[in-house]
Amino acid sequence: MGSNKGLLIVVSGPSGAGKGTICKELLKNNSKINVSVSTTTRLPRVGEKDGINYFFINKNKFENMINNDEFLEYAKVYDNYYGTPKEYVIENMENGKDVLLEIDIVGALQVKERFKDAVFIFILPPSLEELKSRIVGRGTESVSDIEKRYGSAVSEIKQVIKYDYAVVNDDVPTAVEDIESIIKAEKCKVLRNYEEILSKF
Ligand code: 5GP
């Protein structure tokens, strides 16, 4: 059972909570979930590929896309723009496919305004100390970037109240299982299935 429209799953949380790792693992076991590739003005990190990790573009192009209303949401995160291209998400959802967005909190709250029935999942670190050691341990950011990311974590975590679910990322497989359970439960919600139920009985 399930509605004709795909589920929009929004995963966010502070930098270093482990959203990226969790989403990667979730997608490995759930090939039917489609992930939206974001557009960014940030420079690629070593090993990142255009069109796979992000669509890497310059600020001018990004601002043109904003003016042409090509984003479902966008935000300036740590001095760079990040945005979700609208077309891919809408097309997949209309075709009944589930779409995953891994985005920051400002962007997630924009999506909430537009898609009331999307599912909002907040990834929490087990502690602030662990959050910092994960950001440092990634070794991909400069010292000032680490400070910026860590510095905004507490105020970001306070936004958890605006989400539907909170998942603590202490152990990645457990966090992935939690998200799979959330998705299963969401798909059984009466309101998502009411028309189909009525049509059958
Ligand atoms: P990073 O530079 O580490 O790849 O990402 C920085 C932050 O931007 C992360 O919190 C990530 O979730 C967020 N982000 C990635 N793509 C998007 C997007 O399309 N929109 C928004 N609002 N945030 C994004």
Side-chain angles (χ1 to χ4, degrees):
M1 188 157 53
S3 73
N4 297 329
K5 252 177 88 184
L7 193 64
L8 184 57
I9 307 149
V10 181
V11 171
S12 71
S15 184
K19 312 182 284 277
T21 311
I22 290 177
C23 288
K24 226 182 344 194
E25 288 304 307
L26 177 76
L27 293 166
K28 265 192 206 162
N29 311 334
N30 297 273
S31 55
K32 286 193 176 154
I33 300 177
N34 293 268
V35 66
S36 159
V37 178
S38 297
T39 302
T40 185
T41 58
R42 163 167 86 57
L43 293 175
R45 294 182 187 132
V46 177
E48 283 186 332
K49 291 204 171 67
D50 188 48
I52 303 224
N53 302 91
Y54 284 103
F55 295 109
F56 295 99
I57 64 174
N58 65 30
K59 196 168 162 230
N60 255 349
K61 278 195 182 159
F62 199 103
E63 286 172 347
N64 279 338
M65 287 180 74
I66 297 174
N67 294 333
N68 294 333
D69 195 26
E70 291 179 51
F71 290 117
L72 194 76
E73 62 71 34
Y74 69 91
K76 210 164 197 187
V77 192
Y78 320 116
D79 303 330
N80 285 299
Y81 279 125
Y82 294 79
T84 305
K86 201 191 300 188
E87 201 178 316
Y88 176 88
V89 177
I90 305 286
E91 209 175 282
N92 274 283
M93 282 175 63
E94 292 299 328
N95 289 327
K97 294 180 181 154
D98 301 334
V99 180
L100 174 76
L101 308 184
E102 187 231 303
I103 61 179
D104 90 311
I105 293 153
V106 174
L109 297 178
Q110 288 173 44
V111 178
K112 199 174 175 195
E113 288 297 308
R114 297 177 70 165
F115 295 86
K116 302 285 179 208
D117 56 358
V119 187
F120 294 87
I121 304 172
F122 198 98
I123 308 295
L124 287 163
S127 66
L128 274 181
E129 293 69 39
E130 177 63 21
L131 182 83
K132 188 162 193 179
S133 83
R134 286 183 190 171
I135 302 175
V136 174
R138 278 201 303 223
T140 49
E141 274 87 31
S142 63
V143 173
S144 79
D145 272 350
I146 291 170
E147 288 307 323
K148 267 186 221 162
R149 286 172 186 241
Y150 179 67
S152 46
V154 172
S155 63
E156 286 182 336
I157 290 172
K158 292 202 170 125
Q159 304 286 330
V160 68
I161 187 71
K162 297 174 181 159
Y163 285 67
D164 301 312
Y165 300 93
V167 169
V168 178
N169 178 21
D170 202 353
D171 167 62
V172 173
T174 309
V176 171
E177 267 177 36
D178 287 351
I179 296 180
E180 286 170 340
S181 305
I182 291 167
I183 295 172
K184 267 194 186 164
E186 282 290 329
K187 283 180 179 259
C188 293
K189 272 196 168 162
V190 171
L191 277 179
R192 292 192 197 280
N193 296 286
Y194 191 48
E195 281 179 25
E196 194 186 339
I197 296 170
L198 278 189
S199 72
K200 281 188 178 162
F201 301 99

